[in-house]
């Protein structure tokens, strides 16, 4: 029997080994947003030109945390079934207030504050 990794631990480890340098500041509060905040949640900020985000969405959804999708930069791009992305000028303004340097950006948020941030293209495998 193969041991299974805890999804949240896997996500944290994946986010922690990024080679991209996030300009998002850890410990900062999230800018205003339209959802009711959870104690701990994952926020994915992405745009239409991110390419295939299938593996990233799988990893984020496997965390077991509430997932918020922010589709920035005015061109609609889908999110996984069951996740309603926030779109439009306000979503883009949210990304800019965060100082997102690259899409996609994944934020681990606790009590409304950014606990961890990862920016860039996800190409790794979580298996």
């Amino acid at each position: 029997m193969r041991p299974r990794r805890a999804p949240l631990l896997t996500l944290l480890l994946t986010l922690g080994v990024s080679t991209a340098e996030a300009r998002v500041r850890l410990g900062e509060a999230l800018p205003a947003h339209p959802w009711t905040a959870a104690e701990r949640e994952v926020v994915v900020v992405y745009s239409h030109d991110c390419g295939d985000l299938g593996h990233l969405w799988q990893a984020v959804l496997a965390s077991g945390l509430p997932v918020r999708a922010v589709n920035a930069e005015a061109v609609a791009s889908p999110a996984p079934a069951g996740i309603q992305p926030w779109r439009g000028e306000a979503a883009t303004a949210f990304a800019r207030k965060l100082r997102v340097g690259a899409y996609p950006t994944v934020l681990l948020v606790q009590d409304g504050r950014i606990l961890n941030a990862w920016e860039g293209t996800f190409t790794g495998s979580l298996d």
Side-chain angles (χ1 to χ4, degrees):
M1 185 165 144
R2 190 174 139 187
R4 284 189 58 183
R5 289 182 258 172
L8 180 57
L9 178 59
T10 301
L11 178 63
L12 289 173
L13 291 173
T14 301
L15 295 177
V17 297
S18 171
T19 57
E21 292 202 22
R23 295 186 296 168
V24 174
R25 295 187 184 178
L26 302 183
E28 270 191 4
L30 284 181
H33 50 76
W35 62 84
T36 301
E39 179 181 343
R40 188 177 275 190
E41 59 194 349
V42 177
V43 178
V44 179
V45 185
Y46 67 103
S47 72
H48 67 284
D49 61 354
C50 286
D52 183 6
L53 296 178
H55 291 293
L56 177 64
W57 284 119
Q58 286 175 354
V60 168
L61 292 171
S63 73
L65 297 173
V67 175
R68 316 305 183 188
V70 180
N71 182 192
E73 305 305 332
V75 177
S77 184
I83 298 198
Q84 181 62 42
W86 178 29
R87 295 185 170 109
E89 291 179 23
T92 299
F94 175 87
R96 293 186 180 153
K97 284 180 185 175
L98 284 170
R99 291 176 299 283
V100 167
Y103 296 119
T105 292
V106 180
L107 307 173
L108 178 60
V109 178
Q110 183 168 330
D111 297 323
R113 298 204 170 273
I114 301 167
L115 186 62
N116 200 350
W118 174 86
E119 293 180 327
T121 304
F122 181 78
T123 57
S125 172
L126 298 178
D127 293 330

